[in-house]
Amino acid sequence: MRKSLQNKLMQEVNLLRELDHPNIVQYFDHFIDQENKKVYVVMEYCEGGDLASVISFTLYYIWVVLCLWFVEIPPVLTCLLIPKAFFLPEKFILQVLEQLTSALKYCHRRPDGSVVLYQDIKPANVFVANDFNVKIGDFGLGDILPSRNDYVNTQTGTLHYMCPEKLNKTFYHEKSDIWSLGCLIYELCALKPPFAGGGKCLINRINRGKFKKIPPHYSDELNSLIGDMLQVLDFLRPSMEDILHSSLLTQQKQRTGDAAHHLPAPMTAADLRLREPQDIPSKSWKRRLEAEHHQPSKQR
């Protein structure tokens, strides 16, 4: 292992040792294998995998059901007829938003006044525990700022989740993590990132800050909050405190009485089985749906 890489890993280990939050993957120990030049880090095990797997399984489940259900219906129509039940529940998405915001606030508001920038928020770096709570892991790209008045201009992270100021190599601070969090929450709703493509096209889309609205079965309040988090100008984005005290999360707490959320487990490979015959709509239902689709609309 190169010395620079080993130093970077030890920096991450030292940072993980200091972090103690229920929504950050817990560090236990590390071992250095001098002979093979490897460092082993012992971390908390999260049985539910990561959010990237949850999104992938959800997409695959939708694809399987559509193949069985709408085999005779035009593809354009199937996009409009995907049932709400096939998407992730808003209750779960709000739980993810609240827990990740709490973890980032803990990182951004250190007792000594320093700020830990996570730098790489994305579904693959957020893990699901057996109680369905989520935890941030992999602080390999993290940066430590001496104070909230300091900035950094290194271009680190994953391109699809980078804020405009980071892409343009200008100075940025903690609001860069809020942009990335907004991208993640959007992806949990739409099952795809808000800014797609690659190269200059992707960079232009991010710099314009234009993206499609999340699916209509999610609340307008959630869509509005995502829009605030994805403001191109960083000073227009909400702080972690603003998000935690937003009416959306406040109402969520009131509805649940601050109790733990009991949500259905994320789908696993074992769950991706074909539906039973009685669960698949009959051909007569599909014929009736096609007939209604091709009839001209009646003016009232």
Side-chain angles (χ1 to χ4, degrees), residues 174-182 229 237-240 243:
E174 63 189 54
K175 292 293 184 75
S176 62
D177 280 344
I178 294 177
W179 172 281
S180 301
L181 180 59
M229 297 168 72
R237 297 171 207 155
S239 65
M240 296 301 171
I243 297 173

Side-chain angles (χ1 to χ4, degrees), residues 15-27 106 110:
L15 176 59
L16 289 171
R17 185 186 286 128
E18 297 177 8
L19 299 177
D20 182 17
H21 189 277
N23 300 115
I24 295 177
V25 178
Q26 187 177 356
Y27 161 88
Y106 172 82
R110 305 293 294 151

Side-chain angles (χ1 to χ4, degrees), residues 266-285:
M267 287 181 290
T268 63
D271 298 320
L272 300 177
R273 55 183 179 273
L274 299 182
R275 303 174 87 189
E276 296 297 328
Q278 62 267 26
D279 294 334
I280 302 174
S282 64
K283 291 184 178 180
S284 61
W285 180 90

Side-chain angles (χ1 to χ4, degrees), residues 124-163:
N125 286 342
V126 179
F127 301 91
V128 185
N130 60 353
D131 55 1
F132 310 119
N133 290 315
V134 294
K135 299 171 181 280
I136 297 176
D138 191 358
F139 278 75
L141 297 180
D143 253 316
I144 302 177
L145 304 181
S147 73
R148 294 186 65 189
N149 297 322
D150 290 288
Y151 297 82
V152 66
N153 66 344
T154 55
Q155 194 180 51
T156 56
T158 303
L159 188 60
H160 286 82
Y161 306 91
M162 280 189 189
C163 58

Side-chain angles (χ1 to χ4, degrees), residues 8-294:
K8 182 68 176 176
L9 183 56
M10 291 310 301
Q11 177 183 331
E12 180 184 359
V13 167
N14 292 331
L15 176 59
L16 289 171
R17 185 186 286 128
E18 297 177 8
L19 299 177
D20 182 17
H21 189 277
N23 300 115
I24 295 177
V25 178
Q26 187 177 356
Y27 161 88
F28 290 121
D29 204 349
H30 74 278
F31 307 94
I32 301 177
D33 185 347
Q34 297 288 359
E35 182 178 350
N36 296 311
K37 297 181 179 180
K38 293 183 178 180
V39 178
Y40 298 91
V41 183
V42 183
M43 304 291 295
E44 177 184 5
Y45 177 63
C46 296
E47 295 86 343
D50 56 42
L51 288 182
S53 299
V54 174
I55 293 171
S56 296
F57 283 131
T58 305
L59 284 169
Y60 183 78
Y61 182 76
I62 290 175
W63 178 80
V64 169
V65 172
L66 288 180
C67 287
L68 294 172
W69 195 351
F70 298 119
V71 67
E72 299 177 6
I73 297 179
V76 174
L77 184 59
T78 62
C79 295
L80 301 175
L81 296 175
I82 298 175
K84 172 183 175 180
F86 291 168
F87 287 86
L88 296 172
E90 181 165 335
K91 181 179 179 182
F92 173 69
I93 293 173
L94 293 181
Q95 172 184 312
V96 172
L97 174 60
E98 181 181 3
Q99 293 182 348
L100 294 186
T101 303
S102 176
L104 289 174
K105 179 185 175 184
Y106 172 82
C107 293
H108 293 174
R109 304 290 183 268
R110 305 293 294 151
D112 60 357
S114 64
V115 175
V116 175
L117 293 183
Y118 182 75
Q119 297 273 47
D120 198 23
I121 298 171
K122 59 182 179 180
N125 286 342
V126 179
F127 301 91
V128 185
N130 60 353
D131 55 1
F132 310 119
N133 290 315
V134 294
K135 299 171 181 280
I136 297 176
D138 191 358
F139 278 75
L141 297 180
D143 253 316
I144 302 177
L145 304 181
S147 73
R148 294 186 65 189
N149 297 322
D150 290 288
Y151 297 82
V152 66
N153 66 344
T154 55
Q155 194 180 51
T156 56
T158 303
L159 188 60
H160 286 82
Y161 306 91
M162 280 189 189
C163 58
E165 58 269 27
K166 185 182 290 189
L167 277 178
N168 298 319
K169 297 182 180 179
T170 57
F171 288 97
Y172 61 88
H173 50 32
E174 63 189 54
K175 292 293 184 75
S176 62
D177 280 344
I178 294 177
W179 172 281
S180 301
L181 180 59
C183 291
L184 183 147
I185 298 301
Y186 179 98
E187 189 169 352
L188 289 178
C189 297
L191 303 178
K192 60 182 180 181
F195 308 102
K200 291 184 178 180
C201 290
L202 174 60
I203 293 174
N204 289 336
R205 291 189 183 105
I206 293 175
N207 282 328
R208 292 198 308 268
K210 300 296 182 183
F211 52 91
K212 293 183 179 179
K213 190 176 180 180
I214 58 177
H217 52 261
Y218 292 111
S219 66
D220 291 336
E221 291 83 2
L222 178 55
N223 183 70
S224 177
L225 182 55
I226 292 174
D228 291 340
M229 297 168 72
L230 296 180
Q231 288 285 345
V232 172
L233 300 176
D234 60 354
F235 60 85
L236 295 178
R237 297 171 207 155
S239 65
M240 296 301 171
E241 291 84 357
D242 293 333
I243 297 173
L244 289 172
H245 293 100
S246 65
S247 59
L248 189 64
L249 292 186
T250 302
Q251 292 169 7
Q252 172 80 352
K253 284 185 177 181
Q254 291 174 349
R255 285 193 295 266
T256 59
D258 288 328
H261 300 155
H262 299 286
L263 301 169
M267 287 181 290
T268 63
D271 298 320
L272 300 177
R273 55 183 179 273
L274 299 182
R275 303 174 87 189
E276 296 297 328
Q278 62 267 26
D279 294 334
I280 302 174
S282 64
K283 291 184 178 180
S284 61
W285 180 90
K286 289 193 290 183
R287 285 195 296 270
R288 178 169 63 85
L289 183 60
E290 288 177 341
E292 292 177 355
H293 174 61
H294 288 95

